[in-house]
Amino acid sequence: MATTTSFGDTNSGLQAGIVNGSLSAAFHHHHLAPGKLQPLRRRSALTFANCARRPGRKSQLAIEHVYRTQERLPETWVFWIHASSVARFEQSYRDVADLVKIFGRKDPKVNILKLVHDWLRDGKNGSWLLVLDNVDDTHLSLETGGADPGVQGTGIDSGMSRPMSAYLPHSQHGSILITSRNKGVALELVEEKDIIVVEPMAQSHALALFEKKLGSLGDGNDVAELAAALEYMPLAIVQSAAYVCQRAPRCSVRQYLDDFRKSDSKKTSLLNYKGGQLRRDWQAKNSIIITWQISFEYMRSKWPSAADLLSLMSFFDRQGIPEFLVRNRAQTGGGCGSGSGSGSGSQSQNQNQRQFDQSQEKEDGEENGENSLSDSGEDDGIEDDGVEDDGFEDDVQVLRNYSFISCDSDRTFGMHALVQLATRKWLEAHEQLEPWKQQYVRSLSAAFPSGEYENWVSCQALFPHAKSAIAQRPKAEGPLSEWASLTYNAAGYTWSKGDAVEAVQLSKKALEVRKKILGQEHKETLSSMGMVGLAYRLGGRWKEAEELQVQVMETSVRVLGEEHPNTLSSMNNLASTYGDQGRWKEAEELQVQVMETSVRVLGEEHPDTLNSIANLASTYWNQGRWKKAEKLQVQVIETSVRVLGEEHPNTLTCMNNLALTYRNQGRWKEAEELQVQVIETRKRVLSEGHPNTLTSIANLALTYWDQGRWKEAEELGVQVMETSVRVLGEEHPDTLSSMNNLALI
């Protein structure tokens, strides 16, 4: 099991080629708090943990250990070996030979690696610490030239090729510290128990580093925001601080942060800044973007399928990347690859009518191939039981070894956003961005279901990735059509969760694309128009909703026919909007027509039929026809409980409306019991701030008021009003209604 340790922020120090004897006092060094750095074994490795590389930090920690070794054991030799390439490793060994004046080092035929190896093994030369920095290349650790240490060779290239580890002596009087970004490489040189995992920098340490670099230029709140945006990565922090300091007073931390958040291109420009690290190895890159891309290019040359996997992952939201969406990636990258009504101050809810026609979705899925993750007909990424993709697991391990990704217990992956940005920028520079973006959109469009209650668990898990995909609109018409389908379903999910603002934004985007690609009268375009209308209605924009819904209904009648399920849904939606405006006669006429047709075409227990009956009952209620309303409501509840379940949002809406019917008949005890049950369930199923939950609480407050329980009614009324202002806005009709109810109480 690898040892885990945490270090502070004072990463200043000497990074020289070779250090021997006492360190010069000319170097001013601030030490870490004592007791945090663990003593090393004879051979140990510093490597990264979790999901992003932190360039330079492991070397700085090695420097800290060098200082502490020199303080504790001043007679110890310290040798710093640059191991980022074979050439630098060999040159560092030559420097050691020159420094300690090994006899025979100037012989052009001598094997310099063996010479230094033998000197280090000789106990007469004293104790030593060898720091092998930046061993990140498997090729370096396995296939360097040089003769067998046990056989006298004539030169560096003579004899049998040996692994680099052959020139790292085992000795009782010496220790070796290896730094690496790649745990897999480290494991070729040390045991698992001898790996010290460098955990991500803590927030407090990141802020301390920022403050040290910025001096008096940093504002505490702005610095904290920027550190979080940079994900507490030391090199990024040092870069940004240097950028601000060199441009002050014309650039502040706040200005840098605002620019950083503007766009990916601006982020890239800022992160490509090369200043701020005077003590870094002269061949190391100070730009965090370039540093990542160098490792990506090397990985791509050695493990192209792992690079493909990282390319696809770079488009997802940074957390919770589902395995089933990336397991069967295609080699496409060129790499290798409720409503409320009026009436005595109460709120009655129309049934949440089903705006997503399931038959349409099935047809569309067949027509557009949305059940396939790739054009070649791959499945949804879920493998058959018992079939294991060793190639995929190998690729995951490569990415984990490079600390590009982390793995979670729920079979999802995580990445740092800056790693994703660097990867996408590499793809863009190599004209591979668009193919991978298309693959991402295709996979997510096939996986993201409609926003109905039954799909909420899946929608919730995939929604952050859908938002990421919506922000990355593809160019080609085919993928753009899939993008519109994804955006439409995401809009439906936000609508069902009661988020009017986002539902409007997303549904309008889907409508724009579908109009352009499919035309004004296509079935999918009409569905998108209907969704925009529903979002307007949820936001209290009833006139705008009505205009769209009339247009959708008239076109659907003409194009699809009067009895088509989509046509019936559009009529149902329009009737509900009429009800919102108190136009009960118009609403009733449409609802009776929809109900009768739905019973005949879909059947009495179809969800759409139940919706139409429930909405007609709400209209009867608003007209004061309590008995007729109650009869229909009881019928719908009994069937909904059996067909949909007790906790389905539509069942809860029917129960809410039946409670109002009881209240209006003076049956307050029955009303209260039902309302309390609905509130408790809605809080759990929908959330406390969902518009339907607020409606239930407002109705219970009025029931308390009817019974003279003024204090309880007032408390609930204040709660509803404050939450409505925050969630819906001050001018939303439901908010205004809650203010009116509170005034009555």
Side-chain angles (χ1 to χ4, degrees):
M1 193 61 191
T3 304
T4 300
T5 188
S6 175
F7 302 91
D9 56 275
T10 49
N11 288 332
S12 61
L14 171 65
Q15 188 165 342
I18 303 294
V19 183
N20 68 295
S22 299
L23 292 178
S24 170
F27 295 99
H28 182 64
H29 181 72
H30 301 283
H31 292 289
L32 299 173
K36 287 192 175 181
L37 190 64
Q38 299 180 348
L40 299 176
R41 300 174 184 266
R42 289 299 175 185
R43 185 180 294 189
S44 301
L46 292 174
T47 186
F48 286 128
N50 298 331
C51 57
R53 296 166 48 233
R54 290 159 285 283
R57 191 162 177 232
K58 57 187 176 14
S59 299
Q60 299 293 339
L61 295 172
I63 290 170
E64 174 67 25
H65 182 71
V66 166
Y67 275 97
R68 293 190 181 186
T69 299
Q70 285 293 294
E71 288 184 351
R72 186 167 52 91
L73 302 168
E75 301 304 318
T76 298
W77 292 93
V78 177
F79 305 112
W80 194 280
I81 307 297
H82 293 288
S84 57
S85 67
V86 171
R88 297 203 76 195
F89 181 89
E90 292 174 354
Q91 184 57 51
S92 292
Y93 262 49
R94 291 186 185 279
D95 291 341
V96 171
D98 289 338
L99 183 70
V100 300
K101 298 178 173 56
I102 301 177
F103 178 77
R105 68 188 182 279
K106 295 185 179 179
D107 184 347
K109 296 182 179 180
V110 75
N111 180 347
I112 200 70
L113 300 182
K114 180 182 183 300
L115 202 62
V116 173
H117 170 273
D118 292 347
W119 187 91
L120 292 171
R121 287 189 63 185
D122 192 342
K124 294 183 298 182
N125 295 319
S127 61
W128 48 266
L129 169 64
L130 188 73
V131 179
L132 205 62
D133 192 32
N134 286 325
V135 186
D136 301 323
D137 190 334
T138 314
H139 176 81
L140 176 68
S141 63
L142 293 176
E143 300 177 8
T144 186
D148 187 332
V151 179
Q152 181 63 49
T154 58
I156 191 76
D157 295 323
S158 63
M160 185 186 300
S161 176
R162 302 293 296 173
M164 186 62 65
S165 59
Y167 299 100
L168 303 177
H170 292 271
S171 172
Q172 291 299 314
H173 56 273
S175 296
I176 301 175
L177 176 60
I178 299 163
T179 74
S180 178
R181 299 186 182 101
N182 191 330
K183 185 178 179 181
V185 171
L187 285 171
E188 294 173 9
L189 300 174
V190 302
E191 299 291 336
E192 174 86 23
K193 67 180 183 299
D194 295 324
I195 291 179
I196 300 173
V197 178
V198 181
E199 295 289 348
M201 179 173 271
Q203 179 186 28
S204 59
H205 296 155
L207 295 180
L209 177 60
F210 240 139
E211 290 167 3
K212 177 182 175 183
K213 296 297 182 181
L214 287 170
S216 61
L217 296 176
D219 173 85
N221 292 332
D222 293 341
V223 169
E225 278 191 66
L226 181 54
L230 296 173
E231 305 183 60
Y232 308 120
M233 295 186 180
L235 181 56
I237 289 172
V238 171
Q239 278 183 241
S240 60
Y243 185 97
V244 171
C245 288
Q246 292 185 14
R247 287 161 174 77
R250 294 176 59 82
C251 180
S252 66
V253 174
R254 171 50 58 183
Q255 288 172 310
Y256 185 100
L257 181 60
D258 290 342
D259 286 344
F260 186 83
R261 289 171 169 169
K262 281 181 180 177
S263 65
D264 280 358
S265 60
K266 189 62 179 179
K267 276 182 190 171
T268 305
S269 175
L270 292 171
L271 293 173
N272 272 329
Y273 180 69
K274 298 180 177 62
Q277 282 279 35
L278 298 179
R279 291 188 176 94
R280 275 173 69 79
D281 176 16
W282 66 275
Q283 286 195 359
K285 302 298 183 182
N286 279 341
S287 163
I288 196 168
I289 292 288
I290 295 174
T291 301
W292 276 322
Q293 291 180 344
I294 289 172
S295 287
F296 178 75
E297 289 183 341
Y298 173 75
M299 182 180 67
R300 184 172 174 271
S301 68
K302 293 292 183 180
W303 302 282
S305 59
D308 284 344
L309 179 57
L310 189 68
S311 297
L312 181 57
M313 284 184 171
S314 70
F315 292 91
F316 284 80
D317 182 76
R318 60 180 294 268
Q319 295 177 320
I321 301 173
E323 177 184 319
F324 78 91
L325 283 182
V326 297
R327 178 175 279 276
N328 285 344
R329 64 208 174 280
Q331 307 293 325
T332 60
C336 340
S338 66
S340 61
S342 58
S344 304
S346 298
Q347 291 180 303
S348 167
Q349 293 175 278
N350 286 306
Q351 180 70 16
N352 290 342
Q353 57 279 351
R354 197 172 66 101
Q355 82 287 3
F356 306 109
D357 179 67
Q358 292 180 340
S359 63
Q360 175 221 324
E361 289 163 2
K362 292 176 182 177
E363 293 167 9
D364 294 344
E366 293 166 1
E367 292 169 3
N368 296 333
E370 291 179 359
N371 291 324
S372 169
L373 282 184
S374 69
D375 292 332
S376 59
E378 295 181 17
D379 63 18
D380 62 1
I382 302 177
E383 297 182 315
D384 293 335
D385 292 341
V387 179
E388 186 170 340
D389 182 359
D390 290 334
F392 177 79
E393 295 301 334
D394 290 343
D395 292 341
V396 168
Q397 193 58 48
V398 169
L399 298 182
R400 292 183 69 189
N401 285 342
Y402 271 89
S403 298
F404 278 128
I405 66 171
S406 65
C407 298
D408 298 318
S409 58
D410 58 351
R411 302 193 74 81
T412 62
F413 303 102
M415 293 179 69
H416 268 290
L418 299 185
V419 174
Q420 293 178 304
L421 174 63
T423 305
R424 292 197 305 270
K425 285 300 174 183
W426 187 96
L427 294 173
E428 182 178 26
H430 293 78
E431 298 183 349
Q432 296 181 22
L433 184 70
E434 195 64 24
W436 282 112
K437 182 191 297 183
Q438 293 175 8
Q439 171 67 7
Y440 171 55
V441 169
R442 181 183 302 118
S443 300
L444 204 55
S445 177
F448 199 99
S450 65
E452 294 170 331
Y453 171 72
E454 295 81 358
N455 300 323
W456 280 6
V457 173
S458 297
C459 289
Q460 182 178 2
L462 295 175
F463 187 67
H465 306 299
K467 291 188 70 174
S468 179
I470 291 164
Q472 303 177 72
R473 178 170 164 170
K475 298 176 181 178
E477 185 172 291
L480 189 57
S481 179
E482 293 171 321
W483 179 90
S485 296
L486 171 63
T487 307
Y488 171 78
N489 281 351
Y493 174 64
T494 59
W495 174 83
S496 66
K497 297 293 284 186
D499 189 340
V501 174
E502 192 147 38
V504 168
Q505 293 173 348
L506 296 179
S507 59
K508 290 177 75 172
K509 288 180 179 180
L511 176 58
E512 176 193 351
V513 171
R514 284 179 163 177
K515 274 186 178 179
K516 183 177 180 180
I517 295 178
L518 304 174
Q520 183 83 18
E521 297 188 349
H522 192 279
K523 183 172 59 176
E524 292 183 13
T525 306
L526 294 174
S527 294
S528 293
M529 292 174 66
M531 175 55 66
V532 177
L534 286 168
Y536 281 156
R537 177 175 174 253
L538 179 63
R541 299 161 65 176
W542 296 327
K543 280 297 179 186
E544 294 168 277
E546 180 186 346
E547 290 175 4
L548 273 178
Q549 290 167 341
V550 168
Q551 183 179 346
V552 171
M553 183 187 70
E554 292 175 348
T555 307
S556 297
V557 168
R558 187 177 69 256
V559 174
L560 303 176
E562 290 187 0
E563 296 188 350
H564 192 282
N566 287 14
T567 305
L568 296 176
S569 291
S570 68
M571 296 168 68
N572 204 26
N573 294 342
L574 177 59
S576 296
T577 302
Y578 285 155
D580 290 332
Q581 302 171 76
R583 296 158 63 180
W584 310 118
K585 191 64 177 174
E586 295 166 277
E588 180 183 353
E589 290 175 358
L590 274 178
Q591 288 164 344
V592 169
Q593 180 182 347
V594 171
M595 181 187 69
E596 292 174 349
T597 307
S598 297
V599 168
R600 187 177 68 256
V601 174
L602 303 174
E604 291 186 359
E605 296 190 351
H606 191 281
D608 284 359
T609 304
L610 295 176
N611 290 346
S612 66
I613 299 172
N615 289 342
L616 179 58
S618 294
T619 298
Y620 287 157
W621 181 89
N622 281 287
Q623 295 172 318
R625 298 155 72 179
W626 317 122
K627 287 300 180 182
K628 295 191 71 169
E630 180 182 349
K631 181 180 179 181
L632 289 179
Q633 289 163 346
V634 169
Q635 174 189 339
V636 172
I637 291 173
E638 291 175 349
T639 308
S640 295
V641 167
R642 188 177 68 256
V643 174
L644 303 175
E646 289 186 5
E647 296 190 348
H648 192 284
N650 290 5
T651 305
L652 296 175
T653 296
C654 295
M655 294 168 67
N656 174 83
N657 293 346
L658 178 58
L660 287 180
T661 302
Y662 288 157
R663 173 181 170 257
N664 282 16
Q665 298 177 74
R667 297 157 65 181
W668 297 321
K669 195 63 178 175
E670 294 171 275
E672 180 182 345
E673 290 176 358
L674 206 49
Q675 288 167 338
V676 169
Q677 178 184 346
V678 170
I679 290 171
E680 292 175 350
T681 308
R682 277 181 164 170
K683 282 182 178 180
R684 188 176 66 253
V685 174
L686 301 178
S687 80
E688 293 192 8
H690 192 284
N692 289 0
T693 307
L694 296 176
T695 296
S696 299
I697 299 173
N699 291 340
L700 178 60
L702 292 173
T703 300
Y704 285 157
W705 182 83
D706 289 334
Q707 300 175 73
R709 296 158 66 179
W710 321 120
K711 188 66 176 177
E712 294 169 279
E714 182 181 358
E715 289 175 356
L716 290 181
V718 170
Q719 176 186 341
V720 171
M721 183 189 69
E722 292 178 348
T723 308
S724 296
V725 169
R726 187 179 72 251
V727 175
L728 305 175
E730 292 184 359
E731 297 185 0
H732 191 283
D734 286 0
T735 305
L736 299 176
S737 180
S738 69
M739 294 177 178
N740 180 67
N741 290 348
L742 185 59
L744 291 174
I745 293 170

